[in-house]
Amino acid sequence: MRNIVVFLVAFWFLVPSCAAQENDFSLWLRRTNKENFLIPWYTHDGQKAFFDARYNFDMPKSAGVFVGKNLKTGRFSFIPEAGVIFGKYNAVSPELLVIINTKRFLLFSQNQYSFGVAGNTDFAYHWIDFVVNVNKWLALGADEQVFKEFILGSQTQVDVGPAAKITVKKMYFRLWPAWSVGPANVGRRTLFAGIGYVF
């Protein structure tokens, strides 16, 4: 946890204050019947650069730090990133974010491949979040994630479920109850709940 705090503080001072920007800090709970993780997450979207720092998301007890460029055209954003993951798990990890954001709906897609270093295995990750704005404070939709670790005998994990977002001014609350549809962890239930602040 200490490592991610250091990087969050570093990013705060690296962000150019004169640029048009959006910062998002959130804290997530990932809860299953066997394990619980707190996931702090910070993103900065500036005119020239996109920063992303998170802990416990890519792998338990590991921090991920990503830097990229937001290639934005109207409501469409295409963000290629280069990143590193370090801690209990170590990797070099390119990532691609694709975002379509209109007044009516948001489609967010995260696509990642991590090349394990120092004896760590590779993994691939894909996530789609689709929500429709019901009104100015409520959005409803569905999420899906796919995780595959490339070791002998490993199976792909696929989780799906409904999603909800409540926004009050600059604060938001997200809820995603997910069910594993396999082949790994078939039937397992996972709850993702997050609270965030945009500034």
Side-chain angles (χ1 to χ4, degrees):
M1 184 66 172
R2 181 174 55 89
N3 291 334
I4 194 64
V5 171
V6 170
F7 271 92
L8 290 176
V9 171
F11 277 157
W12 184 266
F13 288 104
L14 287 172
V15 170
S17 59
C18 59
Q21 58 190 12
E22 180 177 282
N23 298 284
D24 186 314
F25 182 76
S26 58
L27 184 62
W28 291 81
L29 170 66
R30 177 181 180 268
R31 180 178 177 85
T32 67
N33 57 349
K34 293 184 178 180
E35 56 189 6
N36 300 306
F37 291 110
L38 281 177
I39 305 170
W41 200 320
Y42 168 76
T43 61
H44 164 78
D45 187 0
Q47 282 183 337
K48 296 183 178 180
F50 187 91
F51 297 103
D52 187 342
R54 62 233 191 181
Y55 184 79
N56 267 344
F57 175 77
D58 302 280
M59 286 287 186
K61 298 182 181 177
S62 302
V65 178
F66 296 79
V67 179
K69 172 73 174 171
N70 191 344
L71 307 172
K72 188 172 184 177
T73 304
R75 301 283 185 180
F76 178 79
S77 293
F78 183 82
I79 307 170
E81 293 182 283
V84 294
I85 302 170
F86 58 95
K88 188 174 180 180
Y89 175 84
N90 299 283
V92 176
S93 187
E95 183 171 87
L96 175 64
L97 308 179
V98 179
I99 305 168
I100 302 173
N101 193 0
T102 72
K103 289 183 179 180
R104 187 63 181 159
F105 71 88
L106 168 70
L107 175 67
F108 176 90
S109 175
Q110 177 183 351
N111 307 278
Q112 174 185 5
Y113 192 94
S114 293
F115 298 91
V117 298
N120 290 277
T121 59
D122 295 0
F123 76 80
Y125 179 74
H126 165 72
W127 178 35
I128 287 184
D129 173 37
F130 178 76
V131 291
V132 175
N133 296 317
V134 177
N135 53 42
K136 68 179 182 179
W137 60 270
L138 177 64
L140 300 173
D143 285 19
E144 164 266 342
Q145 70 176 5
V146 178
F147 175 83
K148 170 69 174 177
E149 191 169 8
F150 292 94
I151 57 175
L152 186 64
S154 70
Q155 294 181 311
T156 303
Q157 178 180 322
V158 182
D159 300 314
V160 297
K165 180 180 182 181
I166 297 172
T167 304
V168 179
K169 295 185 179 179
K170 294 185 177 184
M171 298 283 297
Y172 64 86
F173 176 73
R174 290 291 312 264
L175 190 64
W176 178 38
W179 288 264
S180 279
V181 294
N185 303 318
V186 175
R188 185 183 73 173
R189 295 183 180 184
T190 305
L191 175 66
F192 296 86
I195 186 167
Y197 180 71
V198 178
F199 56 100

